[in-house]
């Protein structure tokens, strides 16, 4: 049988491990502007985002945005955007990355209620599509091309 990981590596895919939380969320570490944070890997989230409390942590230059966010039981959430950031997941990088910012307190409160640790943000479909992602749940690995 062919070695799946060798084939992906030959095709310029980068490998990143993730963990599964007590709440069955996929958790990974990512860097924004060189600063590491904890993120949920969410294939159902259309856009990646960080919480408003992480603006200073990731050195984001937030600007108001007219788009409203929704998800995980909350709707009509005011958003901000910070353009031209460097996103890094393992050795995979995305330059000039626009970060969506909004209040993630409802997400972190839900995690804390289940004795799980809070997160800085969510990695969503925008990043997964851009990186032509392949998720290997059995091995707890995320592969991104580029």
């Amino acid at each position: 049988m062919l070695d799946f990981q060798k084939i992906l590596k030959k095709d310029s895919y980068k490998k990143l491990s993730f963990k599964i939380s007590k709440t069955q969320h996929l958790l990974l570490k990512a860097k924004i502007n060189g600063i590491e944070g904890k993120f949920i890997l969410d294939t159902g989230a259309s856009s990646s985002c960080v919480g408003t409390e992480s603006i200073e942590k990731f050195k984001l230059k937030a600007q108001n945005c007219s788009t409203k966010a929704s998800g995980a039981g909350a709707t009509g959430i005011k958003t901000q955007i910070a353009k031209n950031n460097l996103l890094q997941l393992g050795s995979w990088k995305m330059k000039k990355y626009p970060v969506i910012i909004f209040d993630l307190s409802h997400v972190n409160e839900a995690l804390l209620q289940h004795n799980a640790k809070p997160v800085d943000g969510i990695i969503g479909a925008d990043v997964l599509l851009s990186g032509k992602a392949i998720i290997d749940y059995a091995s707890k690995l995320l592969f991104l091309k580029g």
Side-chain angles (χ1 to χ4, degrees), residues 64-128:
N64 288 330
C65 183
S66 61
T67 304
K68 301 286 184 195
S70 63
T75 58
I77 302 169
K78 181 182 171 187
T79 63
Q80 294 177 294
I81 189 166
K83 298 178 183 177
N84 299 317
N85 299 283
L86 174 63
L87 174 66
Q88 185 174 352
L89 286 88
S91 61
W92 184 87
K93 295 178 183 178
M94 181 184 266
K95 297 177 182 175
K96 296 186 178 182
Y97 178 67
V99 177
I100 303 297
I101 306 161
F102 67 92
D103 183 4
L104 288 178
S105 62
H106 63 287
V107 172
N108 283 322
E109 284 175 28
L111 291 170
L112 289 169
Q113 286 178 5
H114 290 90
N115 297 319
K117 295 181 180 178
V119 295
D120 295 302
I122 296 168
I123 300 297
D126 57 339
V127 170
L128 299 174

Side-chain angles (χ1 to χ4, degrees), residues 14-91:
K14 310 290 184 186
K15 176 173 67 171
L16 176 71
S17 63
F18 62 83
K19 295 180 180 182
I20 300 175
S21 74
K22 295 175 186 179
T23 56
Q24 298 299 306
H25 288 98
L26 308 183
L27 300 175
L28 53 79
K29 292 179 181 176
K31 290 182 181 179
I32 297 176
N33 300 325
I35 300 147
E36 189 173 271
K38 186 175 175 183
F39 292 78
I40 292 174
L41 177 61
D42 187 348
T43 61
S46 58
S47 298
S48 301
C49 61
V50 299
T52 52
E53 63 281 350
S54 296
I55 291 172
E56 288 183 28
K57 175 179 180 173
F58 294 118
K59 301 177 183 171
L60 301 173
K61 296 177 182 165
Q63 303 170 350
N64 288 330
C65 183
S66 61
T67 304
K68 301 286 184 195
S70 63
T75 58
I77 302 169
K78 181 182 171 187
T79 63
Q80 294 177 294
I81 189 166
K83 298 178 183 177
N84 299 317
N85 299 283
L86 174 63
L87 174 66
Q88 185 174 352
L89 286 88
S91 61

